[in-house]
Amino acid sequence: MTANAEHTESSVKSMDDIMSLCKRRGFIYPASEIYGGVNGFWDYGPLGAQLKKNLRDAWWTDVVMKGCDGQLGPNGKPVEIVPLDSSIIQNPKVWEASGHVGGFNDPMVDDKETKQRFRADHLFGITLIANDLYKDKEEFDKALAAGMEIRFRPFMTIVASTIGEVLSEIQKNKDVRKQFRKKLNGEGPFNFQVYDNVAGGIAISFEIPEGNEPFSAIAINPVSSWMLENESEKVPSPFTGKAGSLTKPRAFNLMFKTVLGATGNMEDNAAYLRPETAQGIFINFKNVIDTTRVSVPFGIAQTGKAFRNEVTPRNFTFRSREFEQMEIEFFCHPDEAKDWYVFWRDWRMSWWQSLGLEGENLILREHDSDELAHYAKEGAGTSDIEYKFPFTAPGFGELEGIADRTNFDLTQHAEHSKSKLDYFDNTRGELAKNGQPKGERYLPHVIEPSAGLDRGVLALLCEAYTPDPDRASGVYMKFHPRIAPIKAAVFPLVKKDGMPEVAAPLAAELRKRFGHLGTIEYDEKQSIGKRYARMDEAGCPFCFTIDGDSLTDNTVTARNRDTLEQERIAIDKVGDYLAQKLGL
Ligand code: GAP
């Protein structure tokens, strides 16, 4: 058992607060809000759309245009990546070959009584494991360390995708706490002591009644698929608390279906909205080889929408039904796959760090062998870059997966389409009499770094959110200047005395020079304090204010969002100052 951590409201940022700022400032709105919304879909407002574009542009620039930001590959050569923009709808056979028609399923459970539905692997059980048995926490710790046996028989269940979500549900939901009190004979506050890695990855938390004694303990762990399959009648419904109304898990295909053509029907003319951008790349592998000068090793990259009919979309944009991916399929010789896998895994991790996701909130996690996807091979690397979102804490949620997909996809598409997708490599093979290699024919292996753009934006929003009671806004968004949606703001101190006449041209000049990177805000309404507060919440890193002195000495006040420092700089140096601060 590893060390534990106190689970308090203050140690984790509040997702409700972050969502409310996103709405208030125009980052993200619920889709179709005026019609009551539509579950699993989100709209990006003016600030959110620019933030998302900045992240997508940073990826495109660093991956495609600069070839891994100029870093050399494991072969000592520049990394070659070309872009692609493939269709969302493809021939349905693509999805048969890729395995999505047969295997892209989530197990789903229905509650026969309430008609509600949830993902079988998103059900957590709460089991009472010690009630008054232990004198105090120390005694319980000793029993755990000595390998106390725990038999999981949940007295209640909660639909959640992470333990962090369960913990916040327990803290927020009065009904849940009422049930706990009843079961635990406890009173008083619900403080959690969270233990990781107990009995293979579960967390144990304690409700400590007033006076700390008697001592109660519960286990929170995912309800096993075995239990749902074999003893579903014993599992309490997460909606009613009563056992006996849950069905066994059933496979539910996640692809959205649509009909092609005005006279088409769902049986004969069905097509699918792509559930990932990756397959569009595989099916164009030969086209790219035949029409460009690329040679293996090289990568094809694309960004674009993907659609999954998630059973339980949740956690803001984290699990949506429509989202955007940024995917690279990197083709290499099978013998070099391991080296390229390590290269991509490490470079992708450092890329996210370069945008401000540093420190203990970001981890790189190699998959265990029992987590292998259908395309992955035993021994071939797969890892996730994971971020500690407020709703996953103390755990982490996936931001990007890096997988060695071997030659699975090219083999499948070659077989199903009856096309030759192998590659002739004239730099390999035995040497001919003329001293030149005879060449080698092979199906390249593929390393796939696959990132979620919306999840990236969400991680950047969560990371940036910085409560600060000393500011008028009470909070500021500490975006890395590279991805901040507003790069700078220009304000006249007051809307008179010739100040707007100086400020507006300065804003226009900055817009001309920096407008391709983000917004340059010009605002003359309300007090200067309120305007600064608005920019703090928008995450604008620099504000420039024209005041009375500016009119005589041609200087402005430059305000730094993070340090709150203000300095006077010459008005004709504002552009260079901003360029230097933005690292240009
Ligand atoms: N081509 C491989 C692939 O699609 P994935 O792990 O299913 O792999 C890649 O998806 C990334 O797409 C994830 O790491 C995540 O960031 C994002 N993603 C997946 N499902 C998502 C959803 N329902 N909502 C938002 N982002 C999602």
Side-chain angles (χ1 to χ4, degrees):
M1 187 174 68
T2 57
N4 48 49
E6 198 80 40
H7 187 83
T8 58
E9 287 293 328
S10 59
S11 64
V12 178
K13 293 176 190 177
S14 152
M15 204 56 220
D16 288 346
D17 291 349
I18 294 172
M19 286 170 73
S20 125
L21 182 139
C22 283
K23 176 76 205 299
R24 189 167 73 243
R25 285 291 164 224
F27 282 99
I28 301 176
Y29 312 124
S32 310
E33 195 180 11
I34 58 170
Y35 289 98
V38 46
N39 200 8
F41 297 89
W42 298 91
D43 292 341
Y44 286 78
L47 285 186
Q50 186 64 51
L51 176 64
K52 193 170 174 182
K53 180 181 184 302
N54 289 354
L55 182 57
R56 190 193 299 108
D57 284 356
W59 183 91
W60 188 271
T61 303
D62 293 348
V63 170
V64 183
M65 296 168 81
K66 294 189 178 174
C68 294
D69 205 17
Q71 190 150 328
L72 298 183
N75 55 359
K77 297 187 180 151
V79 183
E80 190 170 17
I81 311 279
V82 292
L84 184 83
D85 185 0
S86 69
S87 259
I88 284 175
I89 292 182
Q90 301 282 355
N91 188 314
K93 287 182 190 153
V94 168
W95 308 109
E96 283 165 28
S98 67
H100 285 85
V101 170
F104 194 51
N105 301 320
D106 269 349
M108 162 194 89
V109 172
D110 286 298
D111 182 333
K112 287 177 277 186
E113 196 177 316
T114 66
K115 310 280 179 251
Q116 279 164 288
R117 176 174 282 186
F118 59 90
R119 242 172 86 167
D121 55 344
H122 282 179
L123 189 68
F124 280 81
I126 318 265
T127 308
L128 187 66
I129 53 169
N131 197 8
D132 302 5
L133 289 176
Y134 298 90
K135 189 162 67 43
D136 55 20
K137 182 172 165 306
E138 208 177 312
E139 200 180 84
F140 183 79
D141 283 351
K142 269 193 207 148
L144 267 184
M148 177 181 72
E149 214 178 286
I150 302 167
R151 197 171 144 69
F152 297 114
R153 277 271 165 254
F155 67 85
M156 76 181 279
T157 55
I158 290 179
V159 176
S161 51
T162 63
I163 290 213
E165 250 183 82
V166 181
L167 293 178
S168 76
E169 181 69 11
I170 293 169
Q171 245 156 1
K172 274 197 291 195
N173 190 328
K174 271 197 195 139
D175 290 339
V176 172
R177 290 208 304 277
K178 215 159 121 193
Q179 287 197 54
F180 265 49
R181 287 219 169 83
K182 220 164 118 197
K183 202 81 188 167
L184 297 164
N185 304 323
E187 310 254 330
F190 280 79
N191 290 326
F192 290 97
Q193 200 75 24
V194 179
Y195 289 74
D196 291 327
N197 297 327
V198 179
I202 65 153
I204 299 238
S205 67
F206 299 99
E207 190 268 352
I208 307 173
E210 257 158 30
N212 285 359
E213 289 177 82
F215 191 76
S216 305
I218 51 156
I220 303 170
N221 64 302
V223 176
S224 67
S225 53
W226 183 91
M227 197 163 186
L228 284 169
E229 199 59 61
N230 298 289
E231 297 187 339
S232 64
E233 71 287 351
K234 292 188 187 160
V235 181
S237 158
F239 311 114
T240 62
K242 288 184 284 181
S245 63
L246 299 184
T247 63
K248 289 181 195 302
R250 282 174 301 166
F252 173 73
N253 193 285
L254 295 186
M255 281 194 296
F256 277 102
K257 255 184 172 178
T258 187
V259 174
L260 297 186
T263 55
N265 62 60
M266 218 25 134
E267 255 69 78
D268 305 324
N269 311 91
Y272 302 99
L273 304 192
R274 67 180 174 199
E276 60 174 19
T277 59
Q279 298 304 324
I281 297 181
F282 293 123
I283 58 176
N284 279 295
F285 170 70
K286 196 167 157 20
N287 276 340
V288 173
I289 289 281
D290 291 348
T291 57
T292 69
R293 303 189 72 116
V294 291
S295 51
V296 173
F298 77 100
I300 304 178
Q302 79 166 327
T303 67
K305 293 270 187 173
F307 302 82
R308 297 183 188 175
N309 200 359
E310 298 283 355
V311 181
T312 36
R314 56 204 299 115
N315 290 328
F316 206 15
T317 58
F318 183 82
R319 194 174 305 285
S320 318
R321 289 179 166 146
E322 174 179 339
F323 56 96
E324 200 165 331
Q325 292 185 313
M326 308 185 290
E327 298 203 295
I328 306 155
E329 306 302 329
F330 192 82
F331 302 89
C332 61
H333 188 274
D335 293 350
E336 293 177 352
K338 257 202 176 114
D339 289 345
W340 280 107
Y341 166 73
V342 171
F343 169 83
W344 277 106
R345 185 197 63 190
D346 295 348
W347 184 69
R348 292 303 302 148
M349 179 72 178
S350 66
W351 186 80
W352 284 110
Q353 287 168 329
S354 78
L355 298 179
L357 298 185
E358 286 176 277
E360 58 174 28
N361 283 346
L362 194 73
I363 56 162
L364 182 65
R365 190 179 66 81
E366 285 283 344
H367 277 206
D368 298 331
S369 55
D370 60 357
E371 288 179 84
L372 288 183
H374 63 277
Y375 50 76
K377 205 173 72 181
E378 189 75 51
T382 310
S383 49
D384 286 343
I385 295 172
E386 298 181 338
Y387 181 75
K388 196 196 276 179
F389 293 93
F391 49 81
T392 59
F396 292 78
E398 179 185 333
L399 206 56
E400 171 161 353
I402 298 100
D404 178 349
R405 294 181 73 117
T406 67
N407 57 15
F408 175 86
D409 304 271
L410 289 182
T411 306
Q412 289 294 105
H413 288 303
E415 268 174 37
H416 283 249
S417 67
K418 313 262 180 295
S419 308
K420 270 179 121 18
L421 297 183
D422 52 0
Y423 174 75
F424 183 72
D425 189 337
N426 61 10
T427 66
R428 290 176 177 270
E430 291 169 27
L431 294 186
K433 279 194 192 130
N434 63 3
Q436 294 302 311
K438 285 183 179 164
E440 183 186 333
R441 201 166 270 290
Y442 58 88
L443 265 187
H445 277 212
V446 172
I447 308 302
E448 175 194 69
S450 168
L453 177 56
D454 304 77
R455 280 199 195 166
V457 168
L458 186 58
L460 293 172
L461 284 164
C462 294
E463 184 76 15
Y465 187 89
T466 313
D468 180 358
D470 294 337
R471 297 186 187 222
S473 53
V475 63
Y476 68 108
M477 297 298 278
K478 201 175 172 180
F479 292 123
H480 190 291
R482 185 174 183 203
I483 51 114
I486 302 181
K487 298 295 180 213
V490 180
F491 302 141
L493 183 62
V494 288
K495 196 181 163 184
K496 56 182 184 181
D497 299 337
M499 292 178 210
E501 288 74 7
V502 179
L506 176 61
E509 180 199 319
L510 295 184
R511 215 165 273 151
K512 214 169 179 182
R513 184 160 166 192
F514 302 99
H516 61 295
L517 301 173
T519 306
I520 302 293
E521 180 93 353
Y522 176 76
D523 189 3
E524 47 186 35
K525 289 189 212 117
Q526 296 186 304
S527 72
I528 191 72
K530 285 206 170 119
R531 279 178 275 166
Y532 283 151
R534 236 186 99 238
M535 286 301 101
D536 278 351
E537 285 202 326
C540 167
F542 306 102
C543 295
F544 301 102
T545 303
I546 310 294
D547 57 18
D549 290 344
S550 310
L551 307 179
T552 51
D553 67 5
N554 290 323
T555 62
V556 303
T557 299
R559 175 188 186 265
N560 183 307
R561 174 198 66 198
D562 300 341
T563 61
L564 292 181
E565 272 166 13
Q566 302 201 359
E567 54 184 314
R568 289 302 284 194
I569 57 171
I571 198 164
D572 60 358
K573 290 278 177 286
V574 171
D576 291 346
Y577 175 94
L578 187 59
Q580 190 239 327
K581 294 286 183 189
L582 294 177
L584 301 173

